[in-house]
């Protein structure tokens, strides 16, 4: 039996003319609340929530050849290649009947981002970025009392550092293209979701379409400033 990667490749070759799905990357530091908000988005807007970490864990649990390879790499302290994670995401998208997906916690770095777009030929509709002060994220992680091994102050601060060094360049890349929707995530959950809902409103969809069109025709990285100006004019 072939691996998940082989299966995904066959799917791609067989469906190259199919309509590409709408993909939204969901990024934010540990404790920013993006998982909670993803659940709300799924419930209210009909998206399918995909977590790269969950898919890797499920593949390991399946006992497949690919899963064993992933498990061995993790045990040896090696980073799972981008292509492996991307193929799992790709397969999950192709096997789902939906055409709207939230990809949570991915891409983690610029290499992930470039590989995802190259392998899948999908560019995200936008990036939903949960911006939360480090002090607040730290307070939440230390207070959630879930018994997780990584919920100690030293590990938490290392995770913050990794996020800043690896994920912020991804956010900056898409921000230059006018594709970042920043959410102020330090507020209470319901208040944060009110801000999230505004991003998914029909008016926001129109702004995004206009921004993408203008950015394309201008042929430059003015996307973020163009988006703000369009929003100001519509308001």
């Amino acid at each position: 039996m072939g691996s998940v990667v082989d299966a995904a490749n066959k799917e791609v070759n067989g469906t190259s003319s199919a309509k590409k799905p709408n993909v939204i990357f969901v990024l934010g530091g540990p404790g920013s609340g993006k998982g909670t908000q993803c659940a709300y988005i799924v419930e209210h807007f009909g998206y399918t929530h995909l977590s790269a970490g969950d898919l890797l864990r499920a593949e390991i649990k399946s006992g497949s050849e690919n899963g064993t390879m992933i498990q061995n790499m993790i045990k040896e302290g090696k980073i799972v290649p981008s292509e492996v994670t991307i193929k799992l995401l790709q397969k999950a998208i192709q096997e789902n009947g939906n055409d709207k997906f939230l990809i949570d916690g991915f891409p983690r770095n610029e290499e992930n981002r470039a590989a995802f777009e190259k392998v899948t030929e999908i560019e995200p509709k936008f990036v939903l970025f949960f911006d939360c002060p480090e002090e607040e994220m730290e307070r939440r992680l230390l207070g959630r009392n879930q018994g997780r091994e990584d919920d100690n102050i030293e590990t938490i601060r290392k995770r913050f550092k990794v996020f800043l060094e690896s994920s912020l360049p991804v956010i900056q890349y898409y921000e230059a293209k006018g594709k970042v929707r920043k959410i102020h995530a330090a507020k209470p959950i319901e208040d944060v979701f009110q801000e999230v809902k505004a991003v998914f409103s029909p008016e926001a969809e129109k702004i995004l379409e206009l921004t993408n069109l203008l950015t394309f025709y201008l042929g430059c990285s003015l996307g973020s400033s163009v988006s703000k100006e369009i929003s100001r004019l519509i308001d």
Side-chain angles (χ1 to χ4, degrees), residues 2-17:
S3 69
V4 170
V5 174
D6 294 334
N9 278 327
K10 289 177 183 176
E11 288 280 350
V12 173
N13 293 335
T15 58
S16 57
S17 62

Side-chain angles (χ1 to χ4, degrees), residues 91-159:
K91 185 169 185 284
I93 288 170
Q94 290 163 342
E95 291 182 346
N96 192 292
N98 204 350
D99 64 349
K100 302 187 298 183
F101 296 90
L102 302 171
I103 297 185
D104 177 7
F106 186 94
R108 290 185 179 274
N109 53 45
E110 266 291 286
E111 194 270 332
N112 280 174
R113 178 202 65 74
F116 181 88
E117 291 192 9
K118 181 179 180 181
V119 171
T120 66
E121 298 184 348
I122 295 170
E123 188 171 327
K125 190 174 184 180
F126 60 84
V127 174
L128 194 62
F129 171 41
F130 289 92
D131 189 21
C132 192
E134 186 171 323
E135 296 78 13
E136 175 63 16
M137 291 190 286
E138 186 176 299
R139 185 189 67 78
R140 290 176 181 179
L141 291 173
L142 290 173
R144 67 185 180 184
N145 196 27
Q146 292 181 349
R148 284 177 48 167
E149 290 180 8
D150 57 354
D151 283 352
N152 61 74
I153 194 68
E154 293 81 9
T155 305
I156 286 169
R157 286 177 180 168
K158 284 180 185 175
R159 290 167 65 197

Side-chain angles (χ1 to χ4, degrees), residues 39 58 92 119 142 152 171 206 224 235:
V119 171
L142 290 173
N152 61 74
I171 293 164
K206 289 176 185 175
S224 183
D235 289 344

Side-chain angles (χ1 to χ4, degrees), residues 77-224:
K78 297 178 180 177
I79 297 172
V80 178
S82 292
E83 185 176 314
V84 172
T85 305
I86 290 163
K87 291 299 184 183
L88 290 172
L89 286 166
Q90 192 174 45
K91 185 169 185 284
I93 288 170
Q94 290 163 342
E95 291 182 346
N96 192 292
N98 204 350
D99 64 349
K100 302 187 298 183
F101 296 90
L102 302 171
I103 297 185
D104 177 7
F106 186 94
R108 290 185 179 274
N109 53 45
E110 266 291 286
E111 194 270 332
N112 280 174
R113 178 202 65 74
F116 181 88
E117 291 192 9
K118 181 179 180 181
V119 171
T120 66
E121 298 184 348
I122 295 170
E123 188 171 327
K125 190 174 184 180
F126 60 84
V127 174
L128 194 62
F129 171 41
F130 289 92
D131 189 21
C132 192
E134 186 171 323
E135 296 78 13
E136 175 63 16
M137 291 190 286
E138 186 176 299
R139 185 189 67 78
R140 290 176 181 179
L141 291 173
L142 290 173
R144 67 185 180 184
N145 196 27
Q146 292 181 349
R148 284 177 48 167
E149 290 180 8
D150 57 354
D151 283 352
N152 61 74
I153 194 68
E154 293 81 9
T155 305
I156 286 169
R157 286 177 180 168
K158 284 180 185 175
R159 290 167 65 197
F160 288 151
K161 188 172 184 288
V162 169
F163 173 74
L164 288 171
E165 291 176 351
S166 301
S167 297
L168 279 185
V170 176
I171 293 164
Q172 290 164 349
Y173 173 85
Y174 286 117
E175 193 164 36
K177 303 183 81 170
K179 286 195 167 194
V180 172
R181 301 295 176 264
K182 186 184 288 188
I183 303 297
H184 299 94
K187 298 177 289 187
I189 291 171
E190 288 299 332
D191 292 346
V192 173
F193 187 58
Q194 290 304 312
E195 199 172 328
V196 169
K197 282 201 292 188
V199 170
F200 287 85
S201 70
E203 291 78 13
E205 293 280 337
K206 289 176 185 175
I207 291 170
L208 181 64
E209 288 174 13
L210 284 168
T211 302
N212 289 342
L213 192 63
L214 281 171
T215 304
F216 174 78
Y217 281 112
L218 286 170
C220 61
S221 59
L222 295 177
S224 183

